[in-house]
């Protein structure tokens, strides 16, 4: 998994903070229980601590429902925001029920209005890929990247994660999968 984190970090974080938004998405469904949610927390901490100061970021959690740490609006990275986000990630459990990712992805796809419409956005998805509707997920991701300003990166969690979903999202989303 360390190699996967490094590959995604190199692609995403070789960036200037100006005009950039990073959305970290963590699967908190029941299938992530135990070692998987611990691995997702560890990976999320690495990504958060790698963000340059000033970059806008948001942290989403999903399962049967979804939530955004900063209400979807995001926040510029500074020491206080890092403290809030790392505490939030440390408290994450696999307590969001089933794996229903489509509604959350649609929300992310529609957030690029107004001032954010001109920002480039990298979405980093940490998941075991235990979904039943991969084709619908791919269609939503394709729509989300149609502006050319958004990319999706995926990090599969667990030895038996769905390579179909993890690699498919990255392929359709113009990103990298590990």
């Amino acid at each position: 998994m360390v190699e996967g984190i490094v590959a995604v970090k190199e692609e995403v974080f070789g960036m200037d903070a100006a005009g950039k938004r990073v959305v970290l998405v963590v699967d908190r469904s029941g299938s992530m229980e135990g070692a998987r949610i611990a691995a997702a927390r560890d990976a999320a901490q690495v990504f958060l601590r790698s963000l340059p100061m000033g970059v806008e970021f948001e942290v989403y959690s999903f399962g049967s429902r979804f939530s955004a740490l900063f209400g979807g609006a995001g926040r510029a990275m500074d020491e206080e925001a890092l403290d809030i986000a790392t505490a939030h990630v440390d408290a994450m459990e696999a307590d969001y029920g089933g794996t229903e990712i489509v509604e959350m992805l649609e929300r992310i796809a529609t957030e690029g209005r107004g001032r954010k419409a001109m920002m480039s956005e990298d979405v980093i998805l940490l998941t075991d890929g235990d979904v039943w509707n991969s084709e619908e997920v791919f269609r939503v991701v394709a729509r989300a990247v149609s502006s050319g300003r958004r990319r999706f990166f995926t990090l599969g969690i667990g030895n038996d994660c769905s390579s179909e979903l993890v690699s498919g999202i990255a392929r359709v989303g113009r990103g990298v999968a590990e």
Side-chain angles (χ1 to χ4, degrees):
M1 182 158 84
V2 172
E3 297 84 17
I5 293 172
V6 171
V8 173
K9 275 179 54 178
E10 288 175 357
E11 184 71 25
V12 173
F13 299 124
M15 64 181 177
D16 179 16
K20 183 72 157 186
R21 177 177 162 93
V22 175
V23 178
L24 181 61
V25 179
V26 181
D27 182 346
R28 293 177 60 183
S29 64
S31 64
M32 292 288 290
E33 193 169 55
R36 288 179 179 184
I37 195 67
R41 281 192 304 261
D42 291 347
Q45 292 291 4
V46 169
F47 287 125
L48 286 171
R49 294 178 190 286
S50 299
L51 289 173
M53 291 295 155
V55 71
E56 185 175 308
F57 77 104
E58 181 62 272
V59 179
Y60 274 89
S61 296
F62 77 94
S64 296
R65 60 189 167 90
F66 68 90
S67 61
L69 177 59
F70 300 113
R75 179 167 173 175
M77 178 58 82
D78 59 21
E79 288 299 325
E80 180 183 29
L82 179 60
D83 289 345
I84 291 167
T86 56
H88 175 72
V89 167
D90 280 342
M92 286 182 171
E93 295 295 335
D95 56 1
Y96 270 43
T99 311
E100 298 173 26
I101 190 172
V102 170
E103 185 179 350
M104 189 242 357
L105 290 174
E106 288 174 339
R107 166 81 178 274
I108 290 171
T110 60
E111 284 182 343
R113 296 196 175 106
R115 148 182 96 74
K116 292 183 178 99
M118 297 311 292
M119 298 179 97
S120 65
E121 180 176 83
D122 287 334
V123 179
I124 303 167
L125 174 62
L126 310 178
T127 184
D128 64 1
D130 189 14
V131 302
W132 52 271
N133 56 346
S134 297
E135 290 304 317
E136 185 177 3
V137 170
F138 300 152
R139 282 192 295 276
V140 171
V141 170
R143 281 194 307 271
V145 300
S146 64
S147 71
R149 296 189 178 277
R150 183 179 289 121
R151 301 181 299 173
F152 281 79
F153 298 84
T154 51
L155 183 63
I157 304 293
N159 291 333
D160 59 346
C161 72
S162 170
S163 60
E164 175 195 5
L165 185 80
V166 170
S167 61
I169 288 174
R171 179 180 35 78
V172 172
R174 303 179 308 113
V176 173
E178 290 295 330

